[in-house]
């Protein structure tokens, strides 16, 4: 069991009381740019829509769409006007029994409308189906909120569902639900009782010609009914469309041995003539006619956006995600961020979605304008505020009078040219902004791997980077220095530019007129180096920087969950965070506090450091005495509080933060599509009482907090959890991992968990499989028979995290100096894959036949799909998933590459591997 030594083991946290009386500024909060406006009340063709995962047409000429990213369901009426009919725009669950527009949804997916005008919403992340009545009232129609697949024969509202993804309703009022993660189709009768209509709950293929409830499905997605009551199921991983007859018999309608291949079909629709439309992983919608012929209904082989006003079969589609057909025979396509309509003559038009190309609020009040995922801000001496707005592919400007304009970008995501007017050039994911001492605006163009400069004359040019992702030697001229995904920019008082070269895990120094040098980070992801030379230390995807007048450079070391400082002599140290994601430590030493993926940092000349604590939805401050305080927001994601105290407000995933000369803070409230401002309104005494250290539960591989999955290896941080000296793995008399280790014990809902490691500030444990299907699990830690602390965390089907050590085909460890050759096999280990097809006994070492996850496993290398040769429980180990992949032979450049694991619908944080 010695291989468990590579599980993350971190030093103990410490805490101490604040050492001296102090006063702390208190702030009020308000919005200076951005709004909730996304086009409601106006033409749907001018509206801003996120990813559209579901569409449905009713008999009155209305079209409904799931604006999934915006946590809303919207309606386009017969006149082409768009409105929101359900959801507030903030993810969550609430509002049953009241107006649907005041309720919270959490990733709304498939939609259906019945003959009476009731709207059904697959509320995926809430594990429910919600129903909106014609008067606008919302209620839960199916699902208790627990993640599982149970409750057949009883009330649908008491049943558990596993990833309800799509819905359909027949003429008799029966609702069908595609339970994507449960490999079933469930049926809810008009009297509210639920049963299984198709699928055994075990992923696979089988049962054609027999009873559907005895057949196997694999990740069923889109559903559609024909006028005879036959149900068509997009059986995605079986690459078929299955047909469920009213008699209960199932067969394959399309795919399999048919004369066309379907590649992960996700959407299906049927018109009144019996023609079947299918959307799969290609940018094409196919039609199988009632006469048995295959036609191309829309799209060509190349993805894109073109062809409006012409034949749909010659148009480009971006990514068809769902389909619907109205009573007139018109076909509607959810084309990623647009709805396209194909009329009965085969002509295609866009009927909804502008993709932030035109209507974004320029020329009017900034507080009424549309922003999309704003990430950073900068302020010039005249009071002009500049906003990096990557969701609109623009840089925006707010004048002192409050008017919004665009200063760079056209809304099209493409690398632009040199020497042109910035307002006429294209940008690609601009995420950072800064101003130099000459008034030039600098832009970190993340997607194009370069730093751009807009001169005072409005023309744009590249000043750092080649435009090609990579990493090269130091001491090259700026335009010959390769960058990879730069996100942050800052300048010191001498005019030196610092570039946060995020994906290369470093910060570069670009002196005026000089060559580029490394300021911090050796290019390898990690956290080592405190107390030593900054350029030899390790960073992990830093995203922002700030400089003070004393020559100190501050770095938001995002995935190390720290703020690092490089002093004027080039020595690096941590000034906030312990390196583990979580929340805790306010009013104690910042170096003993938990922060979570900080995305912004600012500093003043009095020694104060301001932190955008992104993952905790907070603004925090480290005062000169080294004590950390929360100064803005409650920590609950949402939008609230404008005009009131900042500590009572809600923000969502805050990004860049800026301190102006008067002590005001500007914050990119990224998840709310706004820029907020914190204005000092007084002072308050700093509390001297330190709250107890809370438990922090993180994935043992990724060290990310959040929901846990059955069987996952987790690390629990806290105080007084076990002995001062760490104790490692022990097996009990039955050959299982021991539940009691050095008098330490962890219980999940009262069930003891197997333990890998126990120490005063840290325990590594395996989550018992018994949590499967629960919405939450109650965790309690005991030491020497006494309860030490508790925590309650959500439960999900999967929560994958990858351990940082990969093994090449020859058995050597993968590294920068030992990269994996193309076409060879690479092995890595993960945890959090959820339930398997094995016995699912916590603490049991994996034995032959080695269990495999019940949810599908996919792997990408720098975005390119890698072939998975094996994904199953690591032989002889507990709670670990071993994945063997074939390294892609093309498309991915040599050097550092990102490795990402998807299990079911959950995606791991990426890690870096090295390719030859």
């Amino acid at each position: 069991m010695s291989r468990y030594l590579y599980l993350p083991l971190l030093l103990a946290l410490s805490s101490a009381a604040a050492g001296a009386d102090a006063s702390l500024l208190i702030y009020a909060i308000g919005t200076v740019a951005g709004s909730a406006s996304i086009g409601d009340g106006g033409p749907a063709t001018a509206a801003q829509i996120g990813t559209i995962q579901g569409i449905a047409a009713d008999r009155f000429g209305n079209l409904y769409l799931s604006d999934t990213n915006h946590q809303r369901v919207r309606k386009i009426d017969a006149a082409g006007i768009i409105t929101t009919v359900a959801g507030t725009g903030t993810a969550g669950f609430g509002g049953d029994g009241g107006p649907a527009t005041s309720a919270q949804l959490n990733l709304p997916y498939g939609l259906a409308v019945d003959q009476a005008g009731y709207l059904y919403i697959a509320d995926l992340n809430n594990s429910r189906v919600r129903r909106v009545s014609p008067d606008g009232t919302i209620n839960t129609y199916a699902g208790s909120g627990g993640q599982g697949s149970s409750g057949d024969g009883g009330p649908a509202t008491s049943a558990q569902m596993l990833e309800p993804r799509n819905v359909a309703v027949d003429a008799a009022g029966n609702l069908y639900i595609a339970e994507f993660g449960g490999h079933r189709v469930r049926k809810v009768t008009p009297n509210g009782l639920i049963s299984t209509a198709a699928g055994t709950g075990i992923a696979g293929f089988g049962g054609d010609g027999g009873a559907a409830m005895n057949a196997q499905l694999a990740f069923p997605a889109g559903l559609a009914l024909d006028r005879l009551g036959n149900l068509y199921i997009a059986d995605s991983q079986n690459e078929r469309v299955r047909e469920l007859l009213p008699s209960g018999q199932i067969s394959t309608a399309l795919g399999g041995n048919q004369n066309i291949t379907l590649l992960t079909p996700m959407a299906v629709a049927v018109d009144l003539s019996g023609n079947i439309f299918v959307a799969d992983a290609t940018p094409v919608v196919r039609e199988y006619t009632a006469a048995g012929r295959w036609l191309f209904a829309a799209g060509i082989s190349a993805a894109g956006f073109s062809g409006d006003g012409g034949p749909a079969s010659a148009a480009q589609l971006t990514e068809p995600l769902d389909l619907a057909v109205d009573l007139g025979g018109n076909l509607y396509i959810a084309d990623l961020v647009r709805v396209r309509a194909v009329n009965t003559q085969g002509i295609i038009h866009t009927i909804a979605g502008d993709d932030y190309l035109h209507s974004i609020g320029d020329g009017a009040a900034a507080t009424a304008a549309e922003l999309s995922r704003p990430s950073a801000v900068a302020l010039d001496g005249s009071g002009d505020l500049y906003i990096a707005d990557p969701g609109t592919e623009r840089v925006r400007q707010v004048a002192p009078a409050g008017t919004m304009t665009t200063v760079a970008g056209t809304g099209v995501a493409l690398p632009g040219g040199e020497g042109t007017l910035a307002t006429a050039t294209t940008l690609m994911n601009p995420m950072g902004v800064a101003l130099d001492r000459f008034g030039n605006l600098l832009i970190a163009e993340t997607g194009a791997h370069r730093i751009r400069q807009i001169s005072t004359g409005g023309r744009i040019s590249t000043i750092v980077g080649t435009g090609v992702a990579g990493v090269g030697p130091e001491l090259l001229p700026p335009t010959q220095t390769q960058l990879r995904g730069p996100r942050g920019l800052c300048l010191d008082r001498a005019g030196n530019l610092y570039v946060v070269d995020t994906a290369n895990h470093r910060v570069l120094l670009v002196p005026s007129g000089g060559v580029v040098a490394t300021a911090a980070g050796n290019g390898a992801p990690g956290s080592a180096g405190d107390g030593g030379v900054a350029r030899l230390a390790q960073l992990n995807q830093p995203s922002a920087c700030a400089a003070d007048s004393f020559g100190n450079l501050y770095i938001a070391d995002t995935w190390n969950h720290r703020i690092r400082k490089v002093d004027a002599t080039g020595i690096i140290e941590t000034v906030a965070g312990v390196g583990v994601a979580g929340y805790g430590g306010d009013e104690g030493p910042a170096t003993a506090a938990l922060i979570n993926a900080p995305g912004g940092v600012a500093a003043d000349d009095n020694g104060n450091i301001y932190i955008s604590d992104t993952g905790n939805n907070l603004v925090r401050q480290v005062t000169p005495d080294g004590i950390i305080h929360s100064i803005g927001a409650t920590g609950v994601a949402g939008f609230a509080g404008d005009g009131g105290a900042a500590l009572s407000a809600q923000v969502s995933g805050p990004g860049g933060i800026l301190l102006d000369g008067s002590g005001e803070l500007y914050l990119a409230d990224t998840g709310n599509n706004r820029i907020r401002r914190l204005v000092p309104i007084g002072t308050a005494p700093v509390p001297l009482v330190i709250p107890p250290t809370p438990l922090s539960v993180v994935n043992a591989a990724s060290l990310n907090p959040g929901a846990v999955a059955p069987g996952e290896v987790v690390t629990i941080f806290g105080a007084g959890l076990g002995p001062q000296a760490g104790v490692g793995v022990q097996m009990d008399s039955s050959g299982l991992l021991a539940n009691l280790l050095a008098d330490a014990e962890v219980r999940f809902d009262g069930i003891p968990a197997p333990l890998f490691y126990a120490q005063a500030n840290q325990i590594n444990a395996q989550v018992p499989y018994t949590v499967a299907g629960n919405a939450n699990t109650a965790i309690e830690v005991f030491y020497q028979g006494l309860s030490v602390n508790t925590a309650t965390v959500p439960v999900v089907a999967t929560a994958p995290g990858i351990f940082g050590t990969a093994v090449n085909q020859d058995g050597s460890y993968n590294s920068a100096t030992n990269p994996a050759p193309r076409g060879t096999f690479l092995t890595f280990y993960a945890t959090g894959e959820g339930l398997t097809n094995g016995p699912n006994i916590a603490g049991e070492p994996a034995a032959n036949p080695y269990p495999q996850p019940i949810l599908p496993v996919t792997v990408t290398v720098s975005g390119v799909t890698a072939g998975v040769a094996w994904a199953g429980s690591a032989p002889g180990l507990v709670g670990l998933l071993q994945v063997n992949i074939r390294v892609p032979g093309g498309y991915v450049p040599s050097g550092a590459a990102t490795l990402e694991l998807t299990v079911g619908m959950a995606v791991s944080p990426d890690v870096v591997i090295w390719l030859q």
Side-chain angles (χ1 to χ4, degrees):
M1 304 298 285
S2 61
R3 290 170 68 180
Y4 283 117
L5 293 176
Y6 67 75
L7 293 176
L9 304 177
L10 300 181
L11 296 176
L13 305 183
S14 61
S15 61
D21 291 339
S23 291
L24 194 68
L25 289 174
I26 56 175
Y27 295 84
I29 194 170
T31 294
V32 296
S35 68
S37 175
I38 49 177
D40 277 355
T45 51
Q48 312 307 330
I49 307 173
T51 300
I52 305 168
Q53 294 287 3
I55 52 175
D58 70 12
R59 63 189 180 93
F60 305 108
N62 302 304
L63 186 73
Y64 297 86
L65 61 93
S66 284
D67 191 352
T68 305
N69 290 357
H70 289 145
Q71 311 295 345
R72 291 176 166 92
V73 174
R74 304 171 78 180
K75 181 178 83 170
I76 306 165
D77 66 17
I81 303 301
I82 193 168
T83 54
T84 292
V85 295
T88 63
T90 300
F93 174 74
D96 274 0
T101 50
S102 300
Q104 286 181 298
L105 305 173
N106 198 341
L107 292 187
Y109 260 66
L111 303 173
V113 188
D114 67 16
Q115 295 296 308
Y118 286 90
L119 171 67
Y120 300 84
I121 305 167
D123 194 2
L124 181 72
N125 266 13
N126 281 324
S127 302
R128 292 174 167 91
V129 174
R130 316 282 287 278
R131 186 174 78 164
V132 181
S133 64
D135 67 2
T137 302
I138 193 169
N139 282 290
T140 293
Y141 192 73
S144 64
Q147 292 193 24
S149 189
S150 64
D152 278 357
T157 51
S158 299
Q160 290 182 320
M161 295 189 293
L162 195 58
E163 298 179 350
R165 190 184 189 282
N166 292 81
V167 287
V169 62
D170 67 16
N174 297 298
L175 178 71
Y176 295 90
I177 306 165
E179 198 176 322
F180 189 75
H183 314 296
R184 290 181 168 99
V185 174
R186 311 287 289 277
K187 176 182 177 181
V188 182
T189 58
N191 63 355
L193 297 180
I194 194 168
S195 61
T196 295
T200 64
I202 298 174
F205 174 74
D208 272 0
M213 63 186 302
N214 296 325
Q216 284 182 291
L217 306 173
F219 299 95
L223 302 175
L225 286 147
D226 66 15
R227 62 188 180 88
L228 301 176
N230 301 306
L231 178 69
Y232 295 87
I233 306 165
D235 192 3
S236 64
Q237 293 301 304
N238 283 322
E239 302 192 325
R240 288 169 162 84
V241 173
R242 312 285 285 276
E243 181 180 6
L244 172 60
L245 302 178
S247 65
Q249 189 179 58
I250 196 169
S251 62
T252 293
L254 303 174
N257 60 0
Q258 301 290 325
N259 59 358
I260 192 167
T261 299
L262 298 176
L263 300 174
T264 316
M266 300 302 288
V268 61
V270 187
D271 67 17
L272 291 177
S273 300
N275 302 305
I276 306 172
F277 301 88
V278 182
D280 63 6
T282 66
V284 174
V285 176
R286 295 177 174 87
E287 176 185 359
Y288 187 71
T289 69
R293 295 178 55 218
W294 280 103
L295 302 174
F296 289 100
I300 59 176
S301 59
F305 172 66
S306 69
D308 275 359
S313 57
Q316 284 181 296
L317 302 178
T318 305
E319 186 179 353
L321 297 174
D322 200 21
L323 304 172
V325 180
D326 68 13
L327 295 176
N330 299 295
L331 172 68
Y332 298 94
I333 305 168
D335 191 16
L336 193 62
V337 294
R338 297 178 176 88
V339 177
R340 316 282 290 277
V342 182
N343 65 21
T344 54
Q345 287 75 47
I347 304 302
I348 193 169
H349 292 280
T350 296
I351 64 167
D354 179 62
D355 198 21
Y356 294 94
L357 285 178
H358 303 103
S359 180
I360 55 173
D362 278 356
T367 51
E370 292 96 343
L371 299 174
S372 181
R373 303 193 307 276
S375 55
V377 286
L379 194 67
D380 69 15
S382 301
D384 294 298
L385 181 71
Y386 297 88
I387 304 166
D389 196 22
T392 71
E393 303 294 348
R394 293 172 171 89
V395 174
R396 318 285 290 278
Q397 179 189 40
V398 181
T403 304
M404 177 75 83
T405 56
T406 291
V407 295
T410 65
V412 177
L414 288 171
E418 302 291 328
T420 59
L421 285 173
T423 52
T425 195
T426 56
L427 295 174
M428 196 167 178
N429 203 24
M431 294 194 71
V433 285
L435 287 144
D436 69 15
R437 55 183 173 174
F438 304 109
N440 300 305
L441 178 65
L442 309 181
I443 305 167
E445 192 179 1
T446 308
H449 314 289
R450 58 186 176 177
I451 308 303
R452 310 274 269 165
Q453 174 183 284
I454 302 176
S455 68
T456 53
R459 296 195 174 271
I460 194 167
S461 59
T462 297
I463 61 168
V464 187
T466 65
V468 177
V471 57
E474 294 184 272
L475 307 181
L476 291 176
T479 54
Q480 296 178 26
T481 300
Q482 284 184 295
L483 307 175
R484 190 189 300 272
R487 291 192 179 185
L489 300 171
C490 60
L491 292 103
D492 64 18
R493 301 305 194 272
N496 298 304
L497 171 66
Y498 294 89
V499 176
V500 182
D501 191 10
T502 300
N504 282 328
H505 311 287
R506 62 184 183 177
V507 178
L508 300 178
L509 168 63
V510 186
S512 179
V515 295
V516 177
T518 298
N522 63 12
S527 59
D530 273 0
V533 178
R535 62 191 308 276
L536 302 178
Q538 291 179 302
L539 305 174
N540 195 346
Q541 297 196 36
S543 58
C545 64
D548 65 19
S549 62
F550 304 108
N552 298 308
L553 175 70
Y554 299 89
I555 302 167
D557 193 0
T558 305
W559 289 112
N560 277 326
H561 313 289
R562 288 181 166 109
I563 302 298
R564 313 281 286 274
K565 182 178 83 169
V566 181
D567 67 19
T569 67
I571 302 301
I572 193 169
E573 64 175 329
T574 294
V575 293
V578 299
V580 178
Y583 170 69
D586 271 0
E587 313 313 327
T591 52
L594 292 167
I595 58 179
N596 191 348
V601 62
D604 64 20
D605 290 338
N606 296 318
N608 294 291
I609 307 166
Y610 302 89
I611 304 168
S612 183
D613 193 353
T614 307
N616 284 323
N617 304 297
L618 289 171
V619 180
R620 302 174 82 176
Q621 178 184 358
V622 181
T623 44
D625 56 4
I627 304 302
I628 192 168
H629 320 270
S630 291
I631 60 171
T634 64
V636 177
F639 177 75
D642 272 3
L647 278 170
S648 300
Q650 288 180 309
V651 299
S652 180
I657 191 169
L658 170 73
L659 182 69
D660 74 4
S662 65
E664 297 181 354
L665 291 164
Y666 290 81
L667 179 73
D669 191 358
T670 305
N672 284 320
N673 298 320
R674 290 171 169 87
I675 304 299
R676 314 281 286 275
R677 179 169 57 193
L678 281 70
V679 179
I681 56 174
T683 60
V686 175
L688 299 179
V689 178
I690 304 171
T693 302
L695 290 182
S696 175
V697 183
V698 304
N699 180 288
S702 68
L703 298 183
N704 276 7
V708 299
E712 177 186 354
V713 181
V714 296
T715 298
I716 302 171
F717 294 99
L721 308 182
Q724 289 300 314
V727 177
V729 170
Q730 294 178 7
M731 308 301 286
D732 64 20
S733 59
S734 62
L736 302 181
L737 210 60
N739 295 325
L740 186 66
L741 187 60
D743 289 329
E745 184 182 22
V746 180
R747 298 177 190 171
F748 289 73
D749 303 318
I751 304 298
L755 303 183
F756 302 91
Y757 178 83
Q759 188 258 350
N761 300 105
Q762 173 183 342
I763 292 180
N764 289 346
Q766 185 186 24
V767 178
Y769 289 100
T770 53
V771 306
N774 295 344
N776 298 287
T777 182
I779 302 172
E780 188 168 13
V781 178
F782 294 83
Y783 182 52
Q784 295 180 337
L786 300 176
S787 177
V788 175
N789 213 332
T790 62
T792 299
V793 297
V795 177
V796 292
T798 65
I802 303 173
F803 291 101
T805 302
V807 181
N808 295 332
Q809 183 171 319
D810 62 5
S812 62
Y813 288 110
N814 180 268
S815 67
T817 57
N818 190 32
R822 303 306 182 83
T824 63
F825 288 96
L826 184 80
T827 298
F828 66 89
Y829 297 88
T831 191
E833 71 272 21
L835 294 175
T836 72
N837 60 7
N840 292 316
I841 298 173
E844 183 175 61
N848 192 21
Y850 300 108
Q852 295 179 274
I854 63 170
L855 295 179
V857 174
T858 58
V859 177
T860 61
V861 176
S862 291
V864 176
T865 300
V868 177
W870 163 257
S873 297
L877 300 182
V878 175
L880 294 195
L881 176 71
Q882 178 177 322
V883 184
N884 302 337
I885 63 168
R886 184 180 289 276
V887 177
Y891 306 111
V892 182
S894 299
T898 55
L899 177 71
E900 191 174 76
L901 169 69
T902 300
V903 184
M905 299 184 70
V907 183
S908 73
D910 58 37
V911 299
V912 173
I913 60 173
W914 300 87
L915 305 183
Q916 186 171 303

